[in-house]
Amino acid sequence: RGSEGMSGFASRPRPHSDPIDYSTITGNPAHSRQRSHPVHVEWADDVPVIERPHPQPSEEALDRARGLKEASDARKWWYTFSTICAVVGIGFAVVQNEVLWGNGNMANTRTNALKWAVLATSIMAAAGLSMQMDSHLKVGRFRGEALPENAGFWVNLRRAGLRQEVV
């Protein structure tokens, strides 16, 4: 009887739902559309094709995607913060050297204040780099990379690929 079913009506082909491309949500290329298999969904014959919903990601996947976005945004913010602190600190150091050169290498209140400003911006840049590294590790954990929980500061810097920037 061809493609007709038991009822005598021609059955229409069942659509495969589109696999969700989780790689855009998680940032992990292993979750791409090419690696996921189509899911066959059975729909009642009386539901119009246009009204059939596509499968939605689970709340766990959405929470993970939100956490990944927050950690990635924090990493970018701390990188920008530490870069600005480092550049401002270099500017203070240059001004301090120019003032010292103008005074014949005699320290005064202005040069001491600039020394403290260089120290403060250097500490802020190092703290920002540390926070950026922590955010980088959080991004890696959200992406499913195997990372240590309680490693030391220098070990974490080396593992995150940031030690060369500090040294």
Side-chain angles (χ1 to χ4, degrees):
R1 294 172 50 158
S3 64
E4 295 178 4
M6 299 281 274
S7 63
F9 295 104
S11 64
R12 55 186 173 179
R14 302 280 182 186
H16 288 282
S17 64
D18 292 332
I20 297 170
D21 189 4
Y22 285 105
S23 65
T24 58
I25 297 172
T26 63
N28 189 340
H31 301 147
S32 70
R33 187 178 299 254
Q34 289 78 19
R35 291 183 178 224
S36 60
H37 303 288
V39 179
H40 183 74
V41 180
E42 291 288 332
W43 300 101
D45 285 335
D46 59 343
V47 177
V49 174
I50 296 173
E51 295 179 10
R52 293 180 184 167
H54 289 283
Q56 297 298 313
S58 67
E59 279 300 314
E60 179 183 339
L62 291 174
D63 288 341
R64 186 173 160 195
R66 285 184 205 107
L68 176 66
K69 175 136 178 52
E70 288 172 8
S72 180
D73 290 346
R75 186 183 77 190
K76 291 174 188 172
W77 191 91
W78 284 113
Y79 177 78
T80 304
F81 174 80
S82 59
T83 302
I84 289 171
C85 286
V87 169
V88 169
I90 291 170
F92 284 150
V94 168
V95 170
Q96 177 198 3
N97 285 334
E98 291 296 321
V99 170
L100 277 173
W101 184 76
N103 288 344
N105 252 3
M106 298 296 293
N108 59 18
T109 307
R110 182 182 293 169
T111 58
N112 287 335
L114 287 169
K115 280 182 191 177
W116 285 106
V118 169
L119 178 65
T121 55
S122 298
I123 290 172
M124 289 170 28
L129 185 61
S130 174
M131 296 301 290
Q132 187 227 354
M133 187 266 309
D134 287 343
S135 299
H136 185 77
L137 290 174
K138 284 181 187 175
V139 168
R141 286 190 189 106
F142 277 116
R143 288 184 177 164
E145 298 170 8
L147 296 170
E149 289 290 328
N150 297 323
F153 178 73
W154 289 105
V155 174
N156 282 340
L157 279 178
R158 182 177 51 79
R159 288 180 179 161
L162 299 173
R163 194 165 102 192
Q164 291 78 17
E165 293 181 26
V166 174
V167 178

